[in-house]
């Protein structure tokens, strides 16, 4: 019986620019995605039917879970995947609703894992197309490392990974809903998309490992909904972070520090800065999802 394991890292957004709202309801964005060393683990073994169990009971294991949606999408799109089964188990470590891309990472992990388990031999281009149909953040996780995202975030240009940086993550006790945060922006309809200066600026930030000018345009909307986010982000900035920002549409905020900074004492001093926040030490990573044969699943 064959079994595979996909180790799926979370992401932060080192910068996020919203150019405006589109006719289809999505927003046109430019963003710098960065993989980090906080990982979910998906295992899958051959089975008669398709089933999913999740280590965290607060995460749905039904058809609303992107892992099962990815499997169903493969089954209807790829002839070799029709009527195939798999027993999938998801070990969750990435907090949900934190803007850390956990669900999207798991979906990309499911595509890669089932591609191997079912011997489909889909190339990355085909997987990216399926990922785009599953969610705006999914394609990034098929690359990992550092990447520029445009369109609704689903058009990926992989970049040379930035140098490894230590991070402190602040994960609030409340999730934020991506559609609600985007709606709270009240962005005007876009004309012809973002002007080319923003992608150019973001490429320069990544190339120069200098994030002093990085911004997240969703921060003000999210902080208008939950003022604790601003308090924690400001505490991170005061603690010496070179960049203190909300990730994606929130609710997690992160501080990124100069290479070599000992962030464990900083994290310790930030515990208690905002009641209920979970404070974690992490770091940026140059890689993405890793899949390998598993002994059992
Ligand atoms: O693509 P995904 O399913 O992850 O998007 C979830 C929701 O987030 C969308 O339905 C939309 O309301 C909002 N969104 C957006 N603009 C983006 C990405 C997401 O408005 N670029």
């Amino acid at each position: 019986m064959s079994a595979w394991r996909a180790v799926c890292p979370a992401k932060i957004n080192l910068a996020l620019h919203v150019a405006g709202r589109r006719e289809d309801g999505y927003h046109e964005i430019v963003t710098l995605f960065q993989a980090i060393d906080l990982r979910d683990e998906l295992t899958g073994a051959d089975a008669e039917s398709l089933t999913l169990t999740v280590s965290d009971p607060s995460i749905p294991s039904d058809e609303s879970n992107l892992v099962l949606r990815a499997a169903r999408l493969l089954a209807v799109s790829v002839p070799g995947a029709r009527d195939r089964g798999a027993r999938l188990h998801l070990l969750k470590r990435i907090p949900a609703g934190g803007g850390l891309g956990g669900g999207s990472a798991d979906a990309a992990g499911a595509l890669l894992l089932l591609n191997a388990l079912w011997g489909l031999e889909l190339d990355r281009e085909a997987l990216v197309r399926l990922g785009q149909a599953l969610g705006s953040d999914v394609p990034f996780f098929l690359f990992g490392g550092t990447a520029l995202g445009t369109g609704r975030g689903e058009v990926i240009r992989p970049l040379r990974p930035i140098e490894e940086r230590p991070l402190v993550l602040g994960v609030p006790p409340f999730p934020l809903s991506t559609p609600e945060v985007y709606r709270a922006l009240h962005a005007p309809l876009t004309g012809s998309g973002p002007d080319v200066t923003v992608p150019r600026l973001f490429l320069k930030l990544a190339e120069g490992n200098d994030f002093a000018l990085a911004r997240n345009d969703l921060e003000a909307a999210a902080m208008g909904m939950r003022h604790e986010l601003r308090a924690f982000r400001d505490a991170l900035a005061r603690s010496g972070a070179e960049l203190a920002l909300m990730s994606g549409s929130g609710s997690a905020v992160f501080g990124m520090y100069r290479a070599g900074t000992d962030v464990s004492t900083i994290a310790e001093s930030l515990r208690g800065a905002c009641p209920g926040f979970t404070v974690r030490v992490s770091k940026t990573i140059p890689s993405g999802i890793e899949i390998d044969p598993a002994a059992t699943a």
Side-chain angles (χ1 to χ4, degrees), residues 27 112 129 142 170 187 190 208 226 235 254 268 286:
H27 290 72
L112 291 166
R129 268 198 302 276
L142 295 166
T190 26
R226 302 298 301 231
F254 67 88
E268 201 46 57

Side-chain angles (χ1 to χ4, degrees), residues 25-29 104 134-137 151-153 178-179 182-183:
Y26 282 94
H27 290 72
E28 191 72 22
I29 67 168
S104 304
L134 289 165
S136 306
D137 284 350
R152 56 188 170 88
T178 300
Y182 270 105
R183 261 201 307 277

Side-chain angles (χ1 to χ4, degrees), residues 1-6 42-49 84-89 112-120 291-297:
M1 188 183 73
S2 95
W4 287 80
R5 180 177 73 138
L42 182 67
T43 44
D46 267 332
E48 283 290 306
S49 58
R84 299 294 299 266
R87 194 175 73 246
L88 297 162
H89 179 71
L112 291 166
L113 186 154
L114 294 173
N115 191 34
L117 184 71
W118 293 342
L120 303 177
I291 67 159
D292 49 36
T296 53

Side-chain angles (χ1 to χ4, degrees), residues 245-264:
L245 215 61
M246 185 178 79
S247 181
S249 58
S251 57
V253 285
F254 67 88
M256 186 165 77
Y257 298 79
R258 269 177 235 297
T261 307
D262 171 16
V263 287
S264 55

Side-chain angles (χ1 to χ4, degrees), residues 14-293:
L14 296 173
L16 194 157
H17 168 71
V18 180
R21 193 162 41 89
R22 311 196 315 198
E23 296 282 0
D24 65 4
Y26 282 94
H27 290 72
E28 191 72 22
I29 67 168
V30 183
T31 188
L32 262 184
F33 286 110
Q34 176 59 52
I36 65 171
D37 80 335
L38 169 64
R39 296 172 170 95
D40 285 347
E41 256 180 63
L42 182 67
T43 44
D46 267 332
E48 283 290 306
S49 58
L50 199 55
T51 55
L52 172 66
T53 50
V54 185
S55 63
D56 177 346
S58 70
I59 306 284
S61 56
D62 62 10
E63 300 293 324
S64 66
N65 191 303
L66 272 177
V67 167
L68 278 189
R69 299 236 291 269
R72 301 273 183 229
L73 183 63
L74 277 173
V76 296
S77 323
V78 184
R82 206 157 291 151
D83 302 324
R84 299 294 299 266
R87 194 175 73 246
L88 297 162
H89 179 71
L90 179 60
L91 173 60
K92 273 312 277 185
R93 295 198 194 93
I94 307 171
L100 300 172
S104 304
D106 302 339
L111 290 176
L112 291 166
L113 186 154
L114 294 173
N115 191 34
L117 184 71
W118 293 342
L120 303 177
E121 296 185 2
L122 296 174
D123 60 16
R124 183 150 64 185
E125 205 181 316
L127 293 170
V128 165
R129 268 198 302 276
L130 294 166
Q132 287 173 334
L134 289 165
S136 306
D137 284 350
V138 178
F140 163 69
F141 290 102
L142 295 166
F143 295 88
T146 307
L148 186 75
T150 53
R152 56 188 170 88
E154 92 288 18
V155 180
I156 299 301
R157 172 168 165 192
L159 304 176
R160 185 152 49 86
I162 64 164
E163 67 175 10
E164 186 183 298
R165 299 291 195 97
L167 302 166
V168 173
L169 304 178
V171 183
F174 49 84
L176 281 179
S177 145
T178 300
E180 274 177 36
V181 173
Y182 270 105
R183 261 201 307 277
L185 254 189
H186 301 297
L189 277 175
T190 26
S192 54
D195 80 61
V196 291
T197 56
V198 178
R200 256 192 229 137
L201 169 69
F202 285 11
L203 289 174
K204 238 173 93 182
L205 301 184
E207 272 163 22
N209 278 290
D210 177 0
F211 297 93
L213 293 177
R215 299 281 179 274
N216 179 346
D217 288 350
L218 293 172
E219 252 189 1
M223 289 176 181
M225 292 159 79
R226 302 298 301 231
H227 65 272
E228 305 96 305
L229 298 181
R230 188 184 306 279
F232 200 89
R233 187 212 48 195
D234 291 351
L236 285 164
R238 282 195 303 273
S239 76
E242 189 190 6
L243 176 64
L245 215 61
M246 185 178 79
S247 181
S249 58
S251 57
V253 285
F254 67 88
M256 186 165 77
Y257 298 79
R258 269 177 235 297
T261 307
D262 171 16
V263 287
S264 55
T265 43
I266 295 175
E268 201 46 57
S269 72
L270 286 165
R271 293 201 170 98
C274 279
F277 275 57
T278 305
V279 181
R280 286 168 187 260
V281 166
S282 186
K283 65 177 186 216
T284 64
I285 58 170
S287 52
I289 294 171
E290 282 165 19
I291 67 159
D292 49 36

